[in-house]
Amino acid sequence: MEEGRPLFQQIAEQIEASILDGSLAADAQAPSTNELAAFHRINPATAAKGINQLVSDGILYKKRGIGMFVAGDARQRVLERRRESFARDFVEPLLAEARRLGLSSADVRSLIEKRGDRR
């Protein structure tokens, strides 16, 4: 777990990552609150807060008496939210700095393509 970030948020993001990488498919059962708490050695209430956040976001749904399951459109929802977050947290600051440096959109694209080619 990461220092300085709420544990419940990290739990939710780990489940989202499992949805994105395909290890938790649509309609698959998600780890239980108790499983998450035992694995991460955290309070079950903290794990439940992360799970409940995903339920309120429409990523997971509850089958009464059985557990939590991945929503059919969960992957798409997570992708959309993370893409928006990526644009807000990385692209917008990048473009603001590019403007301060007098770089055009074409200049930025060129820099990205050159750096991408190195990998």
Side-chain angles (χ1 to χ4, degrees), residues 1 5-20 24 31 36 40 42 46-57 59-60 78 81-82:
M1 302 261 93
R5 295 192 52 239
L7 291 174
F8 79 90
Q9 192 174 49
Q10 293 178 55
I11 294 291
E13 289 172 358
Q14 284 180 342
I15 293 170
E16 287 180 345
S18 294
I19 291 168
L20 288 177
L24 267 179
L36 290 166
H40 294 290
I42 60 173
T46 301
K49 190 172 179 181
I51 293 284
N52 290 335
Q53 179 64 51
L54 294 173
V55 170
S56 70
D57 291 345
I59 306 301
L60 298 179
V78 172
R81 190 173 67 234
R82 289 210 177 171

Side-chain angles (χ1 to χ4, degrees), residues 98-109:
R99 280 190 294 277
R100 285 189 288 272
L101 297 173
L103 296 170
S104 69
S105 295
D107 294 332
V108 172
R109 271 193 302 277

Side-chain angles (χ1 to χ4, degrees), residues 22-115:
S23 56
L24 267 179
D27 298 313
Q29 188 167 8
S32 73
T33 298
N34 290 334
E35 289 171 333
L36 290 166
F39 181 80
H40 294 290
R41 296 186 176 144
I42 60 173
N43 186 313
T46 301
K49 190 172 179 181
I51 293 284
N52 290 335
Q53 179 64 51
L54 294 173
V55 170
S56 70
D57 291 345
I59 306 301
L60 298 179
Y61 65 93
K62 183 177 185 173
K63 285 188 181 178
R64 193 169 184 87
I66 300 174
M68 298 294 182
F69 291 80
V70 179
D73 64 346
R75 188 171 193 284
Q76 189 59 37
R77 284 176 182 255
V78 172
L79 281 172
E80 286 172 11
R81 190 173 67 234
R82 289 210 177 171
R83 285 175 179 156
E84 178 58 35
S85 176
F86 178 79
R88 182 186 61 249
D89 297 343
F90 297 99
V91 176
E92 289 174 12
L94 169 88
L95 294 174
E97 181 65 10
R99 280 190 294 277
R100 285 189 288 272
L101 297 173
L103 296 170
S104 69
S105 295
D107 294 332
V108 172
R109 271 193 302 277
S110 177
L111 286 168
I112 291 170
E113 287 170 1
K114 286 178 187 175
R115 299 290 171 142

